[in-house]
Amino acid sequence: MLNFKKEISNAIAQTTNIEETEIYSYIEVPKETKNGDYAFPCFKLAGKLHKSPMDIANEIKQNISLDENIIEKVEVVSGYLNFFVNKKCLARIVIDELKNTSEYGKSNIGKGKNIVIDYSAPNIAKPFHIGHLRSTVIGGALYKIYKYLGYNTIGINHLGDYGTQFGKMIEGYTLWKDEYDLQKDPINQMMDIYVRINNLCKEDEAVLERCRNNFKKLEDGDKYCTEVWEKLKALSLKEFERVYKLLDCQFDSWNGEAFYSDKMEEVINILSRTGKMHESQGAQIIDLEDKGINTPIIIKKSNDSTTYATRDLAAIMYRARTYDFDKALYVTSYEQSLHFKQVFETAKLLGLDEKYTNGLEHVSFGMVLLPTGKMSTREGTVVKLEDLLNEAMDRASKIIEEKNPGLENKAEIAKRVGIGAVIFNDLYNNRIKDEVFDWDTILNFQGETGPYIQYTFVRTNSIIEKAGVDIKNIKVSEEYLQDEDSQNILKLIYSFEDVLKEVTDKNEPSILSRYLISVAKAYSTFYNNNKVIVDDAEIKNTRLFLTHATGKILETGAKLLGIQMPDKM
Ligand code: ARG
């Protein structure tokens, strides 16, 4: 697809003798349309050219040679050069691209680059609660978007399947397995066993000792303990799978923390050879104060057991060797910021190539705030993710029943609308912000919501359906796409790939969510101001094509966020 920015930066490079790539990196998209479609801030070159921005702007304007059929106007406004693209040209390239590609915006800019995304990672034998929603949804969207841009993307579910609590679970299971029907309602039953064995441990020191011993045996590969652990893990995964299916989430690896049990020794050996690891109150720690981190990292606890951090260090070594990653993203709440700071700093001591330690990134996010306040496991207000998703579908189903009772396939539509609403809400704000969870806002068809995007998509489809045209074979004319409303839509569609790139630059899916809202709004404005079905066949077909294009972008973008479109709603 013709790249306007490139056309402009090429032309500027020729008149200034400055590298085209440098020029390219300075080009901006002005906030106000009166300042053109692209702008070049000339002060960026003031140092190199030893001239004032105003002089540079005027000189470039005088000497620049641009094809009028591509860039139709250049203006100088206080040290800026503002470029206006040729409206017909914009329309033509967008139309051609949409007609010639089945997957609009797909690219291979990421070819040859490996991106590891560590996301979701719930804990085995515990409920998959709403706190894991954000990691699952943000990680899932990034996974899809990186893939769409051609990166070799590896999704890892670093399950919490390790720790002393499994010694307890094994003990509880052994004592009471016949009293529970674990197949039927595994997580709740396991939670019950866990609470019960914990109480027993408090009363009876001998039981606690047996639990500790179980964990030790599990680490040493004891057959019985491993079997029980695997069984509990499989039961949990069966429940988690249902959630992943609803959220359309994929993983390439399910290696959880336990996978690293035999890989920590190497880490500990390397770290002790650095001379930086030392004993403190019986534990093995590394001070990171000189790196600006005031809390030391604990590599081994005083009872000799390893830590969450040690396992993450082992995972970094393993992932570097196995996936040769260019970036390794960790999608967790900001509550783990200190943990990842410590781990990333300590990883530099492992003797890995800098490529790997530079590629580590914590993609952090804020809390989910329910209308009643912050949720927490300890306060006993755990909301199970599956219950939440079921409620979303129920509520969507009630709304559909009210609005459109005659609809076919209502259950599937309610599923898409309900789940889509939850996902969109999660991705709507900058990820670091806390997320407010309020059903009425989330499901409002008129708000900046998932259902609004879906509703607009469905509307575009029904307009085309009613018109009864074969959209692939109609004649579209750029003549009739030069008005402001059409141009606004075209510009947005044109920028789709850049939007996706920006998402991966910042690991921020909300850039795409907000973009989709702009597309839907731009279409609403167009639709309110223009009749689509008019007598002139060419105008009608052109407007129908614009309608189709809008739907296509909304569908593609939503899918990349993990949201499915309903056919009708
Ligand atoms: N299981 C952890 C939790 O629930 C998240 C794991 C994140 N990934 C990692 N490599 N530490 O908080």
mmCIF file of all heavy atoms in Angstrom, residues 118-123 129 132 135 156-161 257 308 311-312 315 319 330-333 336 339-340, ligand 1:
data_model
loop_
_atom_site.group_PDB
_atom_site.id
_atom_site.type_symbol
_atom_site.label_atom_id
_atom_site.label_comp_id
_atom_site.label_asym_id
_atom_site.label_seq_id
_atom_site.Cartn_x
_atom_site.Cartn_y
_atom_site.Cartn_z
ATOM 1 N N ASP A 118 4.030 -14.094 28.303
ATOM 2 C CA ASP A 118 3.697 -14.861 29.502
ATOM 3 C C ASP A 118 2.430 -14.228 30.069
ATOM 4 O O ASP A 118 2.453 -13.090 30.532
ATOM 5 C CB ASP A 118 4.903 -14.714 30.465
ATOM 6 C CG ASP A 118 4.729 -15.396 31.810
ATOM 7 O OD1 ASP A 118 3.631 -15.313 32.389
ATOM 8 O OD2 ASP A 118 5.721 -15.976 32.309
ATOM 9 N N TYR A 119 1.316 -14.936 29.946
ATOM 10 C CA TYR A 119 0.066 -14.310 30.389
ATOM 11 C C TYR A 119 -0.938 -15.302 30.956
ATOM 12 O O TYR A 119 -0.773 -16.505 30.801
ATOM 13 C CB TYR A 119 -0.545 -13.492 29.256
ATOM 14 C CG TYR A 119 -1.155 -14.254 28.103
ATOM 15 C CD1 TYR A 119 -2.531 -14.292 27.925
ATOM 16 C CD2 TYR A 119 -0.362 -14.914 27.173
ATOM 17 C CE1 TYR A 119 -3.108 -14.957 26.845
ATOM 18 C CE2 TYR A 119 -0.920 -15.580 26.095
ATOM 19 C CZ TYR A 119 -2.293 -15.603 25.938
ATOM 20 O OH TYR A 119 -2.852 -16.262 24.883
ATOM 21 N N SER A 120 -1.904 -14.748 31.618
ATOM 22 C CA SER A 120 -2.983 -15.475 32.293
ATOM 23 C C SER A 120 -2.498 -16.104 33.594
ATOM 24 O O SER A 120 -2.747 -15.581 34.660
ATOM 25 C CB SER A 120 -3.628 -16.508 31.373
ATOM 26 O OG SER A 120 -4.805 -16.975 31.974
ATOM 27 N N ALA A 121 -1.794 -17.245 33.516
ATOM 28 C CA ALA A 121 -1.122 -17.865 34.657
ATOM 29 C C ALA A 121 -1.915 -17.930 35.957
ATOM 30 O O ALA A 121 -1.486 -17.417 36.983
ATOM 31 C CB ALA A 121 0.221 -17.168 34.905
ATOM 32 N N PRO A 122 -3.087 -18.551 35.941
ATOM 33 C CA PRO A 122 -3.811 -18.740 37.205
ATOM 34 C C PRO A 122 -3.110 -19.796 38.054
ATOM 35 O O PRO A 122 -2.152 -20.422 37.605
ATOM 36 C CB PRO A 122 -5.184 -19.225 36.761
ATOM 37 C CG PRO A 122 -4.962 -19.862 35.437
ATOM 38 C CD PRO A 122 -3.794 -19.149 34.808
ATOM 39 N N ASN A 123 -3.593 -19.951 39.278
ATOM 40 C CA ASN A 123 -2.968 -20.908 40.172
ATOM 41 C C ASN A 123 -3.820 -22.167 40.295
ATOM 42 O O ASN A 123 -5.039 -22.090 40.447
ATOM 43 C CB ASN A 123 -2.741 -20.244 41.527
ATOM 44 C CG ASN A 123 -1.863 -19.011 41.373
ATOM 45 O OD1 ASN A 123 -0.841 -19.036 40.679
ATOM 46 N ND2 ASN A 123 -2.279 -17.903 41.970
ATOM 47 N N HIS A 129 -9.919 -16.477 39.187
ATOM 48 C CA HIS A 129 -10.770 -15.363 39.609
ATOM 49 C C HIS A 129 -10.582 -14.142 38.720
ATOM 50 O O HIS A 129 -9.731 -14.109 37.828
ATOM 51 C CB HIS A 129 -10.562 -15.038 41.084
ATOM 52 C CG HIS A 129 -9.180 -14.604 41.413
ATOM 53 N ND1 HIS A 129 -8.760 -13.305 41.265
ATOM 54 C CD2 HIS A 129 -8.114 -15.304 41.871
ATOM 55 C CE1 HIS A 129 -7.503 -13.227 41.625
ATOM 56 N NE2 HIS A 129 -7.082 -14.428 41.990
ATOM 57 N N HIS A 132 -7.378 -12.552 37.396
ATOM 58 C CA HIS A 132 -6.636 -13.074 36.257
ATOM 59 C C HIS A 132 -7.261 -12.681 34.918
ATOM 60 O O HIS A 132 -6.717 -12.974 33.864
ATOM 61 C CB HIS A 132 -6.521 -14.603 36.321
ATOM 62 C CG HIS A 132 -5.583 -15.063 37.403
ATOM 63 N ND1 HIS A 132 -6.003 -15.769 38.491
ATOM 64 C CD2 HIS A 132 -4.258 -14.880 37.557
ATOM 65 C CE1 HIS A 132 -4.961 -16.014 39.268
ATOM 66 N NE2 HIS A 132 -3.892 -15.487 38.735
ATOM 67 N N SER A 135 -4.990 -10.115 32.890
ATOM 68 C CA SER A 135 -3.809 -10.722 32.281
ATOM 69 C C SER A 135 -4.207 -11.547 31.063
ATOM 70 O O SER A 135 -3.568 -11.490 30.004
ATOM 71 C CB SER A 135 -3.096 -11.605 33.307
ATOM 72 O OG SER A 135 -2.013 -12.246 32.691
ATOM 73 N N ILE A 156 2.704 -18.244 26.612
ATOM 74 C CA ILE A 156 3.035 -19.182 27.687
ATOM 75 C C ILE A 156 2.112 -18.976 28.885
ATOM 76 O O ILE A 156 1.941 -17.856 29.371
ATOM 77 C CB ILE A 156 4.499 -19.015 28.149
ATOM 78 C CG1 ILE A 156 5.446 -19.251 26.969
ATOM 79 C CG2 ILE A 156 4.811 -19.980 29.297
ATOM 80 C CD1 ILE A 156 6.915 -19.160 27.312
ATOM 81 N N ASN A 157 1.539 -20.061 29.340
ATOM 82 C CA ASN A 157 0.727 -20.018 30.546
ATOM 83 C C ASN A 157 1.581 -20.531 31.706
ATOM 84 O O ASN A 157 1.678 -21.732 31.932
ATOM 85 C CB ASN A 157 -0.534 -20.862 30.350
ATOM 86 C CG ASN A 157 -1.610 -20.495 31.342
ATOM 87 O OD1 ASN A 157 -1.325 -19.912 32.397
ATOM 88 N ND2 ASN A 157 -2.846 -20.832 31.035
ATOM 89 N N HIS A 158 2.199 -19.601 32.408
ATOM 90 C CA HIS A 158 3.134 -19.935 33.496
ATOM 91 C C HIS A 158 2.311 -20.250 34.754
ATOM 92 O O HIS A 158 2.253 -19.476 35.712
ATOM 93 C CB HIS A 158 4.035 -18.714 33.721
ATOM 94 C CG HIS A 158 5.199 -18.906 34.647
ATOM 95 N ND1 HIS A 158 6.356 -19.548 34.282
ATOM 96 C CD2 HIS A 158 5.405 -18.508 35.936
ATOM 97 C CE1 HIS A 158 7.222 -19.533 35.291
ATOM 98 N NE2 HIS A 158 6.657 -18.908 36.316
ATOM 99 N N LEU A 159 1.655 -21.398 34.707
ATOM 100 C CA LEU A 159 0.715 -21.775 35.769
ATOM 101 C C LEU A 159 1.358 -21.798 37.156
ATOM 102 O O LEU A 159 2.509 -22.210 37.310
ATOM 103 C CB LEU A 159 0.168 -23.173 35.478
ATOM 104 C CG LEU A 159 -0.716 -23.331 34.246
ATOM 105 C CD1 LEU A 159 -0.860 -24.803 33.908
ATOM 106 C CD2 LEU A 159 -2.072 -22.682 34.467
ATOM 107 N N GLY A 160 0.593 -21.364 38.136
ATOM 108 C CA GLY A 160 1.056 -21.466 39.524
ATOM 109 C C GLY A 160 0.771 -22.873 40.027
ATOM 110 O O GLY A 160 -0.277 -23.136 40.616
ATOM 111 N N ASP A 161 1.687 -23.775 39.739
ATOM 112 C CA ASP A 161 1.431 -25.182 40.067
ATOM 113 C C ASP A 161 2.515 -25.725 40.990
ATOM 114 O O ASP A 161 2.850 -26.893 40.961
ATOM 115 C CB ASP A 161 1.347 -26.018 38.780
ATOM 116 C CG ASP A 161 2.599 -25.883 37.928
ATOM 117 O OD1 ASP A 161 3.534 -25.157 38.328
ATOM 118 O OD2 ASP A 161 2.659 -26.501 36.850
ATOM 119 N N GLU A 257 5.160 -23.214 36.874
ATOM 120 C CA GLU A 257 6.327 -23.054 37.747
ATOM 121 C C GLU A 257 7.017 -24.385 38.028
ATOM 122 O O GLU A 257 8.251 -24.451 38.102
ATOM 123 C CB GLU A 257 5.900 -22.403 39.065
ATOM 124 C CG GLU A 257 5.519 -20.949 38.905
ATOM 125 C CD GLU A 257 5.182 -20.311 40.245
ATOM 126 O OE1 GLU A 257 5.976 -20.456 41.184
ATOM 127 O OE2 GLU A 257 4.111 -19.689 40.345
ATOM 128 N N TYR A 308 9.456 -18.049 44.097
ATOM 129 C CA TYR A 308 8.790 -17.627 42.859
ATOM 130 C C TYR A 308 9.815 -16.945 41.931
ATOM 131 O O TYR A 308 9.842 -17.173 40.727
ATOM 132 C CB TYR A 308 7.680 -16.665 43.281
ATOM 133 C CG TYR A 308 6.843 -16.025 42.201
ATOM 134 C CD1 TYR A 308 6.228 -16.796 41.213
ATOM 135 C CD2 TYR A 308 6.608 -14.638 42.199
ATOM 136 C CE1 TYR A 308 5.424 -16.194 40.250
ATOM 137 C CE2 TYR A 308 5.812 -14.032 41.238
ATOM 138 C CZ TYR A 308 5.223 -14.813 40.264
ATOM 139 O OH TYR A 308 4.432 -14.212 39.311
ATOM 140 N N ARG A 311 12.297 -19.351 40.270
ATOM 141 C CA ARG A 311 11.659 -20.048 39.142
ATOM 142 C C ARG A 311 11.563 -19.126 37.924
ATOM 143 O O ARG A 311 11.748 -19.547 36.791
ATOM 144 C CB ARG A 311 10.281 -20.567 39.558
ATOM 145 C CG ARG A 311 10.398 -21.779 40.475
ATOM 146 C CD ARG A 311 9.074 -22.400 40.813
ATOM 147 N NE ARG A 311 8.280 -21.664 41.781
ATOM 148 C CZ ARG A 311 8.558 -21.558 43.079
ATOM 149 N NH1 ARG A 311 9.628 -22.147 43.577
ATOM 150 N NH2 ARG A 311 7.770 -20.884 43.876
ATOM 151 N N ASP A 312 11.298 -17.846 38.171
ATOM 152 C CA ASP A 312 11.255 -16.928 37.033
ATOM 153 C C ASP A 312 12.638 -16.772 36.390
ATOM 154 O O ASP A 312 12.744 -16.611 35.172
ATOM 155 C CB ASP A 312 10.687 -15.571 37.455
ATOM 156 C CG ASP A 312 9.212 -15.448 37.070
ATOM 157 O OD1 ASP A 312 8.830 -16.032 36.038
ATOM 158 O OD2 ASP A 312 8.448 -14.791 37.793
ATOM 159 N N ALA A 315 13.157 -19.705 34.308
ATOM 160 C CA ALA A 315 12.309 -19.604 33.118
ATOM 161 C C ALA A 315 12.953 -18.691 32.070
ATOM 162 O O ALA A 315 12.867 -18.958 30.874
ATOM 163 C CB ALA A 315 10.922 -19.092 33.507
ATOM 164 N N ARG A 319 13.720 -19.952 28.404
ATOM 165 C CA ARG A 319 13.057 -19.302 27.262
ATOM 166 C C ARG A 319 14.069 -18.693 26.293
ATOM 167 O O ARG A 319 13.846 -18.690 25.079
ATOM 168 C CB ARG A 319 12.074 -18.242 27.770
ATOM 169 C CG ARG A 319 10.893 -18.880 28.480
ATOM 170 C CD ARG A 319 10.021 -17.865 29.175
ATOM 171 N NE ARG A 319 9.009 -18.542 29.991
ATOM 172 C CZ ARG A 319 8.125 -17.918 30.755
ATOM 173 N NH1 ARG A 319 8.118 -16.596 30.810
ATOM 174 N NH2 ARG A 319 7.248 -18.605 31.457
ATOM 175 N N TYR A 330 5.772 -9.955 30.220
ATOM 176 C CA TYR A 330 5.121 -10.553 31.384
ATOM 177 C C TYR A 330 3.897 -9.720 31.697
ATOM 178 O O TYR A 330 4.020 -8.567 32.107
ATOM 179 C CB TYR A 330 6.074 -10.552 32.585
ATOM 180 C CG TYR A 330 7.270 -11.434 32.385
ATOM 181 C CD1 TYR A 330 8.373 -10.993 31.645
ATOM 182 C CD2 TYR A 330 7.307 -12.722 32.910
ATOM 183 C CE1 TYR A 330 9.461 -11.817 31.438
ATOM 184 C CE2 TYR A 330 8.399 -13.556 32.714
ATOM 185 C CZ TYR A 330 9.473 -13.095 31.974
ATOM 186 O OH TYR A 330 10.554 -13.900 31.769
ATOM 187 N N VAL A 331 2.741 -10.303 31.477
ATOM 188 C CA VAL A 331 1.512 -9.550 31.673
ATOM 189 C C VAL A 331 0.934 -9.876 33.049
ATOM 190 O O VAL A 331 0.291 -10.912 33.234
ATOM 191 C CB VAL A 331 0.492 -9.883 30.545
ATOM 192 C CG1 VAL A 331 -0.702 -8.939 30.625
ATOM 193 C CG2 VAL A 331 1.147 -9.801 29.173
ATOM 194 N N THR A 332 1.224 -9.025 34.015
ATOM 195 C CA THR A 332 0.650 -9.213 35.356
ATOM 196 C C THR A 332 0.314 -7.853 35.957
ATOM 197 O O THR A 332 0.695 -6.818 35.431
ATOM 198 C CB THR A 332 1.613 -9.907 36.362
ATOM 199 O OG1 THR A 332 2.535 -8.931 36.869
ATOM 200 C CG2 THR A 332 2.369 -11.055 35.755
ATOM 201 N N SER A 333 -0.362 -7.882 37.076
ATOM 202 C CA SER A 333 -0.776 -6.641 37.725
ATOM 203 C C SER A 333 0.442 -5.859 38.222
ATOM 204 O O SER A 333 1.515 -6.417 38.422
ATOM 205 C CB SER A 333 -1.719 -6.965 38.882
ATOM 206 O OG SER A 333 -1.164 -6.560 40.101
ATOM 207 N N GLN A 336 3.030 -6.734 41.018
ATOM 208 C CA GLN A 336 4.247 -7.540 40.883
ATOM 209 C C GLN A 336 5.425 -6.726 40.316
ATOM 210 O O GLN A 336 6.423 -7.300 39.887
ATOM 211 C CB GLN A 336 3.972 -8.761 40.000
ATOM 212 C CG GLN A 336 2.939 -9.685 40.639
ATOM 213 C CD GLN A 336 2.959 -11.095 40.069
ATOM 214 O OE1 GLN A 336 3.990 -11.602 39.654
ATOM 215 N NE2 GLN A 336 1.806 -11.733 40.067
ATOM 216 N N HIS A 339 8.730 -7.424 42.073
ATOM 217 C CA HIS A 339 9.205 -8.767 41.711
ATOM 218 C C HIS A 339 9.933 -8.747 40.366
ATOM 219 O O HIS A 339 11.041 -9.260 40.237
ATOM 220 C CB HIS A 339 8.016 -9.736 41.672
ATOM 221 C CG HIS A 339 8.304 -11.041 40.981
ATOM 222 N ND1 HIS A 339 9.039 -12.043 41.582
ATOM 223 C CD2 HIS A 339 8.004 -11.486 39.734
ATOM 224 C CE1 HIS A 339 9.163 -13.057 40.729
ATOM 225 N NE2 HIS A 339 8.540 -12.744 39.598
ATOM 226 N N PHE A 340 9.299 -8.136 39.358
ATOM 227 C CA PHE A 340 9.925 -8.178 38.030
ATOM 228 C C PHE A 340 11.157 -7.281 37.943
ATOM 229 O O PHE A 340 12.106 -7.611 37.253
ATOM 230 C CB PHE A 340 8.900 -7.876 36.930
ATOM 231 C CG PHE A 340 7.996 -9.054 36.683
ATOM 232 C CD1 PHE A 340 6.659 -9.026 37.044
ATOM 233 C CD2 PHE A 340 8.512 -10.231 36.147
ATOM 234 C CE1 PHE A 340 5.839 -10.139 36.847
ATOM 235 C CE2 PHE A 340 7.702 -11.348 35.953
ATOM 236 C CZ PHE A 340 6.357 -11.300 36.307
HETATM 237 N N1 ARG B 1 0.635 -17.188 38.943
HETATM 238 C C1 ARG B 1 0.977 -15.824 39.146
HETATM 239 C C2 ARG B 1 -0.153 -15.101 39.850
HETATM 240 O O1 ARG B 1 -1.252 -15.589 39.893
HETATM 241 C C3 ARG B 1 1.293 -15.091 37.865
HETATM 242 C C4 ARG B 1 2.507 -15.582 37.103
HETATM 243 C C5 ARG B 1 3.030 -14.571 36.138
HETATM 244 N N2 ARG B 1 4.157 -15.034 35.358
HETATM 245 C C6 ARG B 1 5.408 -15.151 35.807
HETATM 246 N N3 ARG B 1 6.327 -15.618 34.988
HETATM 247 N N4 ARG B 1 5.749 -14.816 37.022
HETATM 248 O O2 ARG B 1 0.050 -14.020 40.373
#
